[in-house]
Amino acid sequence: MNDRDFIIGAGGVTFSFLIYWFMGHPFFIIERIVMFIAIMTFTGTLLFFIRKARRGEEIFLREIPGLKAVEEAVGRSTEMGKPVLFVPGIMDMDQVETVAGVIVLGHVSKMTARYETTLNVPVSRAIVMKAAQDVCKESYLMEGRPDMFHEDMVHYLTDEQFAYAAGVNGIMVREKPAACMYMGKFYAESLILAETGNSIGAIQIAGTASQAQIPFFVTACDYTLIGEEFFAASAYLSQRPELIGGIKGQDMIKIIIIGMIIGGVVLRFLHDGGMIDFNILEFLTVR
Amino acid sequence: MLWKRQIPILIVAVIGSITLFGWFINEPNIKSFVDDDATQWFDILASFAIFLGGFNLLKMQLQKIFRRQRGWQYSIFAIAGFFLAITAGFFYKGNPDVAWGTHVTADGTLFKWIFTYMFAPLQATMFALLAFFVASASYRAFRIRNFEATLLLVSGIIIMIGRVPLGSFISSWFILYLLVLIGGITVNSFFKNKQYTAIFVIVGIIVVTAAGSSLGWPLDQPGILYLPYLQEWIYKYPNVAGARSIMMGIGMGIFATSIRYILGIEKSYIGE
């Protein structure tokens, strides 16, 4: 899509919405208009920077030690002749973290194919198993090593949380992988996995958006991708301009949000001081 | 290519858009699709997919046994458990008075017995291991290596002591005396002069004692050094500030990633 098509498309969407709005906006929940505008603004910002990156504008992406260490971890496994263990969380493909984890697995499997290192991916959901098998297969094909790929490198253990943790722990203790990566959605099993990995001396990299599990991973792993860093992993590892553009867009949205927070505090202060009637909390509360 | 790429991307875009924008639309059909139908479709798909998982598990365990791989003996238990659960679920109830279907939760059935006396204790055992792992992880986290680790240690101790009944019996004045001693250590490490350190500690102790005597040594005054208050402040303000910033980053990441999927910008999940 070139610039002209993009502008026509965006203009068409905006124009259609305006017509819909002036026709009395049937079915639209008017109390949620602030959230709707926020989503549209943020989406527009993201798309703007994605297009900028696609046009070839250079975008700086700060170094993320955890992602830089992924190749180092695979290299270490290669040198030691031990496998790489990748755990894509315990939830299904309906969770965005699991999808992000599977995408990172694609990059990791490219590295294991390149370095001819064994990859072991125990999964806890059958759909994740199929998705992960496809992703790995393609990575091995792209690296020109289809001979190294075998479907059993991604294998199903169980849907049950602690049974899965026990199974992965067993693999760790028996096979002693040199690198353990935990990328996905985790719950209480996070520390059980990470501490076992720590006890076998593996280099450990974790990435999750499960806020309650981040401290456990920070404590037990060598590197942890905290929240948004995890979602930036795909852009960082692939270095594809449209994905890096999205990261820049995210940063811009963050600046907008910081501005809104400061503005909100000032407006609330003025409201509480009786200087204005406009109540920002009332305005922003989502119903 | 059409079936492997364009169609899946279209499905993601359409369903993603309906889910996202359906929240703004007050239309019962869209609402019921987003809230119920879509999730039920996923559950149905996942239920069928379990066969793939089950067969994969069986294949892997059998391979292990036949190839006499390391730890193959455990695979015998895995396969035995697999078939026992299938038998109890589909072929043998163990209690003829209970109807098929309800036998998975009804007392006196083989399935329920397996769940109560085999599965639940095994799960509880794994969960209990967490306590030991928390201890070893805490030890590692609380080791004094740098300023941040020290800050974490001090905050952790304050929160732990402040949250138990013992914390409310520790007077603020005791904490003040401790602060004087910690200040003495800081002065000593900074000036490396015993006289300065002694003067600082003695003056500090005299000032705290005089202040305490004149105020009658109230347990919770000054409030900023009373552990139950202090832990609550740490928990409610610095902790929440940090947690919320991480939460906002996560939200931003999820939003941006979802938009990339919906618009078909990120396609790695179906291959490149």
Side-chain angles (χ1 to χ4, degrees):
Chain A
M1 192 189 273
N2 58 32
D3 281 358
R4 191 170 155 273
D5 294 342
F6 178 74
I7 291 165
I8 289 170
V13 170
T14 313
F15 187 66
S16 311
F17 183 75
L18 285 174
I19 289 174
Y20 167 74
W21 188 258
F22 287 115
M23 278 171 68
H25 46 82
F27 303 116
F28 194 87
I29 302 171
I30 195 78
E31 290 84 9
R32 293 177 181 171
I33 187 73
V34 178
M35 183 63 100
F36 183 77
I37 292 170
I39 286 178
M40 295 316 282
T41 311
F42 294 162
T43 307
T45 312
L46 274 178
L47 289 177
F48 176 76
F49 283 98
I50 287 169
R51 294 193 59 75
K52 254 183 131 175
R54 272 184 178 160
R55 277 200 296 266
E57 189 171 303
E58 202 157 303
I59 288 173
F60 170 74
L61 194 62
R62 80 175 163 87
E63 206 166 82
I64 301 173
L67 292 173
K68 215 180 156 204
V70 169
E71 189 142 12
E72 185 190 317
V74 177
R76 183 178 185 258
S77 301
T78 312
E79 282 173 8
M80 294 174 76
K82 288 180 173 181
V84 173
L85 183 79
F86 191 98
V87 182
I90 61 157
M91 297 307 284
D92 222 323
M93 287 300 275
D94 59 339
Q95 299 291 321
V96 72
E97 288 111 304
T98 312
V99 182
V102 170
I103 290 171
V104 176
L105 170 66
H107 297 287
V108 172
S109 57
K110 271 185 193 162
M111 290 175 201
T112 55
R114 212 177 301 145
Y115 291 113
E116 300 182 12
T117 308
T118 315
L119 176 65
N120 192 350
V121 188
V123 297
S124 77
R125 305 282 163 162
I127 296 179
V128 179
M129 180 186 82
K130 276 316 284 177
Q133 278 175 346
D134 284 352
V135 163
C136 287
K137 188 178 181 181
E138 195 183 86
S139 298
Y140 277 79
L141 275 170
M142 282 176 76
E143 287 298 317
R145 296 308 309 266
D147 54 307
M148 277 192 68
F149 173 77
H150 57 97
E151 280 204 333
D152 297 342
M153 65 172 55
V154 182
H155 56 99
Y156 174 81
L157 287 182
T158 167
D159 274 37
E160 290 299 329
Q161 182 186 20
F162 289 109
Y164 177 71
V168 176
N169 276 8
I171 291 169
M172 282 185 195
V173 174
R174 282 191 300 273
E175 297 184 5
K176 299 218 166 16
C180 297
M181 296 180 202
Y182 314 99
M183 307 266 177
K185 197 173 179 76
F186 292 89
Y187 290 93
E189 73 292 340
S190 65
L191 190 63
I192 298 177
L193 300 176
E195 276 293 291
T196 309
N198 195 297
S199 71
I200 59 163
I203 182 169
Q204 300 203 98
I205 304 168
T208 186
S210 315
Q211 205 186 359
Q213 308 310 320
I214 290 172
F216 295 135
F217 279 137
V218 169
T219 309
C221 294
D222 299 282
Y223 301 95
T224 307
L225 304 171
I226 298 173
E228 59 185 323
E229 286 181 342
F230 173 49
F231 295 108
S234 179
Y236 190 95
L237 293 169
S238 69
Q239 291 291 318
R240 277 168 55 196
E242 62 268 35
L243 298 185
I244 294 176
I247 305 297
K248 173 90 173 177
Q250 261 175 265
D251 285 347
M252 289 300 136
I253 295 170
K254 249 185 266 171
I255 291 173
I256 296 172
I257 289 175
I258 290 168
M260 282 170 70
I261 290 171
I262 295 168
V265 169
V266 172
L267 285 172
R268 181 71 189 169
F269 179 75
L270 292 175
H271 175 266
D272 285 356
M275 282 171 263
I276 54 169
D277 286 335
F278 176 67
N279 186 353
I280 186 76
L281 278 187
E282 188 74 20
F283 178 72
L284 289 178
T285 302
V286 176
R287 292 176 189 89
Chain B
M1 206 59 176
L2 180 78
W3 286 101
K4 286 204 89 173
R5 287 194 71 79
Q6 273 85 352
I7 300 286
I9 290 169
L10 188 72
I11 292 172
V12 171
V14 171
I15 303 291
S17 304
I18 291 173
T19 311
L20 179 61
F21 294 111
W23 194 68
F24 299 101
I25 304 292
N26 189 14
E27 211 283 315
N29 290 324
I30 294 177
K31 204 171 157 50
S32 96
F33 173 77
V34 172
D35 293 345
D36 305 321
D37 298 347
T39 48
Q40 278 173 11
W41 287 4
F42 183 82
D43 290 343
I44 292 165
L45 275 174
S47 308
F48 279 105
I50 196 71
F51 288 107
L52 289 173
F55 288 130
N56 181 269
L57 176 81
L58 209 55
K59 185 183 118 188
M60 293 293 292
Q61 301 302 325
L62 284 171
Q63 269 179 6
K64 240 180 173 180
I65 294 171
F66 291 135
R67 291 177 188 166
R68 290 283 194 276
Q69 285 173 346
R70 198 173 169 201
W72 64 272
Q73 297 89 341
Y74 301 117
S75 297
I76 297 172
F77 286 94
I79 290 171
F82 186 88
F83 284 111
L84 181 65
I86 286 178
T87 308
F90 294 104
F91 304 111
Y92 180 69
K93 287 183 289 187
N95 183 352
D97 301 332
V98 177
W100 283 104
T102 53
H103 72 291
V104 292
T105 48
D107 286 333
T109 60
L110 179 61
F111 197 91
K112 180 75 184 197
W113 186 88
I114 292 172
F115 187 84
T116 312
Y117 297 107
M118 292 173 83
F119 183 73
L122 285 168
Q123 205 168 25
T125 306
M126 279 308 290
F127 190 54
L129 277 178
L130 205 55
F132 300 100
F133 287 134
V134 165
S136 63
S138 305
Y139 166 73
R140 208 173 309 115
F142 288 156
R143 261 184 313 179
I144 298 176
R145 289 160 296 175
N146 49 33
F147 176 70
E148 286 88 353
T150 314
L151 211 60
L152 184 71
L153 173 70
V154 173
S155 316
I157 289 173
I158 291 170
I159 287 187
M160 280 190 282
I161 297 178
R163 291 216 149 199
V164 294
L166 177 73
S168 56
F169 293 112
I170 298 172
S171 164
S172 306
W173 302 96
F174 175 71
I175 304 298
L176 261 174
Y177 281 122
L178 272 182
L179 283 178
V180 168
L181 294 177
I182 292 166
I185 295 168
T186 314
V187 166
N188 188 51
S189 56
F190 192 72
F191 292 106
K192 306 233 182 284
N193 186 319
K194 283 177 187 169
Q195 279 181 335
Y196 288 174
T197 309
I199 291 167
F200 180 87
V201 172
I202 291 165
V203 170
I205 288 172
I206 290 168
V207 169
V208 172
T209 312
S213 305
S214 64
L215 292 169
W217 304 102
L219 201 67
D220 59 349
Q221 292 299 326
I224 195 168
L225 295 173
Y226 186 54
L227 290 181
Y229 297 161
L230 188 58
Q231 69 82 21
E232 201 165 326
W233 182 83
I234 291 171
Y235 206 73
K236 273 189 174 170
Y237 298 98
N239 173 54
V240 168
R244 281 197 183 154
S245 62
I246 291 174
M247 208 161 72
M248 284 162 84
I250 291 170
M252 188 65 60
I254 291 177
F255 170 75
T257 310
S258 307
I259 291 293
R260 288 204 300 261
Y261 295 154
I262 290 172
L263 298 178
I265 295 162
E266 170 82 84
K267 291 173 283 223
S268 323
Y269 61 95
I270 52 160
E272 297 190 33

